[in-house]
């Protein structure tokens, strides 16, 4: 435990503000998610973490005291720590979390980015959003209620989205007299449930009371029978890369172009984005997808100036040696990489619309900034999140999860989701309303060229396509004559 209140005296001891900030740049970071059923205490837990680790400024604490009196009564001095996270008016009035709330805090060992996910089933889409960028999940279970359906649903979604580290927090132990038997029973029930998954996951179990702070920062005197670590101890020391390295995580270069930077006066043209996987270095030969043009990295520009190489997760701007026409959504890979160019894929879909997903529907999909059109070829099954049985169906309803075969209008460069979260996932967009209606994670790539029959075109189609590509390149239409 390394909780130190950052004061001017402390910064002076560390050699001044510049030395302190420089040291802060070199500590690691961890993104984690809090999830579980509604009213299990997720927001209160985060509020307690922020409060007990001295991360709340005096003015925020004063506001929290005033807000707490509105909900507890003006005579009460109790703090409603959930208000630190639940910022929406509806969230405060109903005492629930609706949208994903992100919070940041740090200790001497690590920086943390927390995603507080809603517990209601109807807000599953928001939970998926928070889980998609997290490396670890804190799964809360109410000690009075044990493992519930939403506990299973959130566990399944986290595993589906590639999370392999879980801290199972049995909360509200103060309401069950800090009973070790109840804690052990919940632990046993959850282990039986999680054993149904064939994937390798790491679980930590902690009994605590978020309301009172037991076993969060300090060990609880009320649960002397618990000899494990506190919650903060685990968060500071868990090595999420340990298990990742054992998985087939891709280390090949993937750089989706997010933005084109041009300065006419300075004759500068760069391609901005985040390294999705692997590393990139000056002088490296690269290939641009879909054009297939080869070039060389001339410069890597960052906020702090040029650098020689960049790694996964870093936001950079690339300058190529050649003046090439590159658009938003194009992908830069190493010249020696074998590209996974596919016309179809098996995809795990989390359906987020009240209108059912049906076979034959066509959607716009967005993969790492690039848009394409996809057709639902087949729905193989829907997962029952309570029993994990595969249910044969021809539709997916709101919040359902199922395995779906998709066929794309144009060839796409995809990876399996477990290899690469960025190029292995996408969102589905309704072509009429432009609403996001689903999230997809690629499970298997299909080598079957489902679009081959469409490569036979009439002369009129080829002439029209050529005309559009020549005079309306901003439409992004695939050139049917390319390579012929």
């Amino acid at each position: 435990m390394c909780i130190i209140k950052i004061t001017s005296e402390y910064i002076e001891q560390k050699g001044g503000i510049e030395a302190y900030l420089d040291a802060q740049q070199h500590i690691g970071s961890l993104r984690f998610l809090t999830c579980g059923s509604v009213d299990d205490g997720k927001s209160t837990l985060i509020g307690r973490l922020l409060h007990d680790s001295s991360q709340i400024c005096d003015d925020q604490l004063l506001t929290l005291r005033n807000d707490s009196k509105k909900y507890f009564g003006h005579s009460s001095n109790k703090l409603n720590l959930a208000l630190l996270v639940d910022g929406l008016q509806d969230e405060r009035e109903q005492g629930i979390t609706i949208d994903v709330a992100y919070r940041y805090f740090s200790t001497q060992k690590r920086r943390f980015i927390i995603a507080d996910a809603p517990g209601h089933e109807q807000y599953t889409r928001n939970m998926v959003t928070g889980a998609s960028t997290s490396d670890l999940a804190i799964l809360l279970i109410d000690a009075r209620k044990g493992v519930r359906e939403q506990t299973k649903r959130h566990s399944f979604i986290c595993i589906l989205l590639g999370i392999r580290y879980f801290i199972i927090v049995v909360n509200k132990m103060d309401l069950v007299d800090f009973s070790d038997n109840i804690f052990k029973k919940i632990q046993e029930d959850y282990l039986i449930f999680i054993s149904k998954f064939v994937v390798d996951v790491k679980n930590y179990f902690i009994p605590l009371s978020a309301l009172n702070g037991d076993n969060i920062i300090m060990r609880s005197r009320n649960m002397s029978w618990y000899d494990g670590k506190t919650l903060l101890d685990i968060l500071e020391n868990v090595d999420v890369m340990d298990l990742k390295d054992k998985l087939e995580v891709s280390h090949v270069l993937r750089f989706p172009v997010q933005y084109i930077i041009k300065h006419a006066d300075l004759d500068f043209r760069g391609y901005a984005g985040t390294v999705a996987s692997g590393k990139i270095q000056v002088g490296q030969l690269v290939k641009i997808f879909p054009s297939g043009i080869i070039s060389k990295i001339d410069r890597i520009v960052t906020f702090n100036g040029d650098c020689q190489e960049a790694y996964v997760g870093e936001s950079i701007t690339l300058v190529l040696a050649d003046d090439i026409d590159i658009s938003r959504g194009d992908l830069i890979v190493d010249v020696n990489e074998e590209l996974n160019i596919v016309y179809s894929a098996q995809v795990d879909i989390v359906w987020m619309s009240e209108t059912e997903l049906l076979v034959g529907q066509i959607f716009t999909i967005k993969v790492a900034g690039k848009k394409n059109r996809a057709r639902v070829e087949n729905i193989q099954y829907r997962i029952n999140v309570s029993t994990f049985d595969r249910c044969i169906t021809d539709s997916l309803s709101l919040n359902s999860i199922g395995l779906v075969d998709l066929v794309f209008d144009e060839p796409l460069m995809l990876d399996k989701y477990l290899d690469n979260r960025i190029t292995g996932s996408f969102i589905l967009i309704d072509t009429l309303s432009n609403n996001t209606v689903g999230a997809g994670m690629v499970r298997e790539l299909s080598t079957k060229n489902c679009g081959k029959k469409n490569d036979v075109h009439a002369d009129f189609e080829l002439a029209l396509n050529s005309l559009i590509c020549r005079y309306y390149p901003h439409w992004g239409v695939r050139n049917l004559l390319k390579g012929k």
Side-chain angles (χ1 to χ4, degrees):
M1 180 181 65
C2 293
I3 300 303
I4 297 175
K5 193 162 186 176
I6 308 302
T7 62
S8 57
E9 291 79 10
Y10 175 78
I11 292 175
E12 194 63 32
Q13 290 174 7
K14 292 296 179 181
I17 186 66
E18 291 187 3
Y20 172 77
L21 293 176
D22 183 64
Q24 288 295 303
Q25 289 183 356
H26 296 92
I27 64 174
S29 62
L30 175 70
R31 298 183 71 112
F32 67 89
L33 167 84
T34 57
C35 56
S37 192
V38 66
D39 286 337
D40 282 352
K42 297 180 290 297
S43 299
T44 302
L45 175 66
I46 295 175
R48 175 60 66 183
L49 262 175
L50 298 174
H51 180 269
D52 289 3
S53 58
S54 304
Q55 302 289 318
I56 306 175
C57 300
D58 290 343
D59 58 332
Q60 293 174 316
L61 199 57
L62 179 61
T63 303
L64 178 63
R65 289 190 187 283
N66 293 331
D67 289 345
S68 297
K69 288 179 179 178
K70 294 179 183 177
Y71 298 93
F72 287 143
H74 286 276
S75 60
S76 174
N77 289 321
K78 291 173 61 178
L79 289 177
N80 186 344
L81 295 170
L83 298 179
L84 286 169
V85 183
D86 292 337
L88 300 177
Q89 186 67 24
D90 283 348
E91 291 179 330
R92 294 185 167 206
E93 291 177 355
Q94 299 179 50
I96 62 172
T97 300
I98 296 175
D99 199 0
V100 181
Y102 292 93
R103 287 293 181 273
Y104 168 88
F105 79 102
S106 64
T107 66
Q108 289 302 297
K109 286 189 175 180
R110 220 170 210 176
R111 289 190 291 262
F112 301 97
I113 299 173
I114 315 169
D116 181 26
H120 280 87
E121 181 181 345
Q122 70 188 94
Y123 300 122
T124 296
R125 70 190 82 176
N126 302 18
M127 184 269 171
V128 172
T129 303
S132 64
T133 57
S134 298
D135 295 314
L136 177 147
I138 296 179
L139 185 70
L140 281 89
I141 299 176
D142 190 325
R144 300 168 301 168
K145 301 173 181 175
V147 176
R148 290 189 281 174
E149 181 170 331
Q150 198 67 338
T151 311
K152 298 176 181 178
R153 175 185 292 273
H154 282 188
S155 298
F156 177 71
I157 292 174
C158 286
I159 290 175
L160 189 65
L161 291 170
I163 295 176
R164 294 294 181 267
Y165 283 82
F166 289 85
I167 301 177
I168 316 301
V169 166
V170 181
N171 191 23
K172 305 186 182 182
M173 290 296 293
D174 52 313
L175 300 182
V176 294
D177 296 328
F178 302 103
S179 168
D180 58 337
N181 289 330
I182 290 178
F183 172 72
K184 290 174 181 174
K185 178 65 170 59
I186 293 174
Q187 182 176 355
E188 182 182 349
D189 290 345
Y190 188 81
L191 286 174
I192 293 174
F193 153 73
I194 203 70
S195 65
K196 297 178 181 177
F197 295 96
V198 295
V199 297
D200 191 9
V201 296
K202 180 73 174 177
N203 296 311
Y204 301 88
F205 290 88
I206 306 178
L208 57 76
S209 168
L211 186 65
N212 300 320
D214 294 87
N215 284 337
I216 295 180
I217 305 292
M218 303 293 292
R219 296 186 63 83
S220 171
R221 295 179 180 177
N222 298 311
M223 291 176 276
S224 56
W225 45 266
Y226 173 71
D227 58 0
K229 295 180 178 179
T230 64
L231 177 61
L232 187 62
D233 279 342
I234 296 175
L235 290 174
E236 283 186 326
N237 296 295
V238 64
D239 182 8
V240 293
M241 295 305 296
D242 180 50
L243 197 55
K244 272 186 175 180
D245 288 341
K246 297 176 184 176
L247 300 172
E248 295 180 0
V249 177
S250 173
H251 297 289
V252 297
L253 173 63
R254 296 285 186 268
F255 184 82
V257 176
Q258 296 174 345
Y259 191 70
I260 315 298
I261 298 176
K262 292 183 290 185
H263 297 299
D265 296 339
L266 301 177
D267 195 23
F268 179 91
R269 182 181 177 87
Y271 309 100
T274 302
V275 183
S277 65
K279 77 169 186 178
I280 194 166
Q281 55 190 356
V282 173
Q284 184 175 358
L285 288 177
V286 294
K287 185 162 49 180
I288 292 88
F289 179 82
S291 67
I293 297 175
I294 295 174
S295 185
K296 187 171 70 174
I297 303 298
D298 194 33
R299 292 175 58 194
I300 300 176
V301 183
T302 72
F303 179 77
N304 295 316
D306 285 18
C307 64
Q308 290 299 305
E309 55 188 21
Y311 296 86
V312 57
E314 293 188 45
S315 298
I316 57 174
T317 298
L318 298 178
V319 178
L320 301 182
D322 307 292
D323 188 12
I324 302 172
D325 182 15
I326 296 179
S327 304
R328 173 183 167 83
D330 285 2
L331 196 63
I332 296 178
V333 302
D334 186 86
V335 69
N336 296 315
E337 284 298 328
E338 292 293 332
L339 303 182
N340 301 317
I341 300 174
V342 297
Y343 283 86
S344 61
Q346 288 182 5
V347 182
D348 289 299
I349 296 285
V350 180
W351 189 243
M352 302 174 177
S353 172
E354 294 181 354
T355 304
E356 289 186 331
L357 172 72
L358 301 171
V359 173
Q361 287 180 321
I362 295 175
F363 299 96
T364 298
I365 64 170
K366 188 173 181 181
V367 187
K370 186 173 185 62
K371 288 185 177 180
N372 202 329
R373 288 167 71 90
R375 177 170 52 85
V376 179
E377 181 78 0
N378 181 38
I379 300 175
Q380 295 198 19
Y381 56 79
R382 175 180 60 81
I383 292 288
N384 183 325
V385 295
S386 298
T387 62
F388 299 105
D389 291 336
R390 296 177 177 182
C391 308
I392 302 301
T393 181
D394 55 2
S395 65
L396 290 181
S397 58
L398 176 65
N399 294 323
S400 293
I401 301 169
L403 185 63
V404 175
D405 295 325
L406 291 182
V407 177
F408 312 119
D409 270 8
E410 297 180 17
L412 279 179
M413 216 211 87
L414 294 174
D415 291 301
K416 294 181 182 179
Y417 181 78
L418 290 180
D419 289 341
N420 195 308
R421 282 188 174 186
I422 306 300
T423 53
S425 65
F426 53 80
I427 58 173
L428 288 91
I429 303 169
D430 188 286
T431 53
L432 295 178
S433 66
N434 211 31
N435 291 329
T436 299
V437 291
M441 285 71 69
V442 177
R443 185 186 294 190
E444 293 291 342
L445 301 170
S446 175
T447 56
K448 183 174 64 175
N449 190 349
C450 298
K452 191 171 182 179
K453 58 185 179 182
N454 295 328
D455 284 347
V456 179
H457 304 283
D459 291 342
F460 169 76
E461 290 177 302
L462 294 174
L464 178 61
N465 176 262
S466 177
L467 185 73
I468 293 174
C469 291
R470 182 175 182 182
Y471 293 103
Y472 304 95
H474 54 285
W475 288 7
V477 173
R478 180 166 64 106
N479 189 341
L480 301 178
L481 292 174
K482 202 166 192 176
K484 294 184 179 179

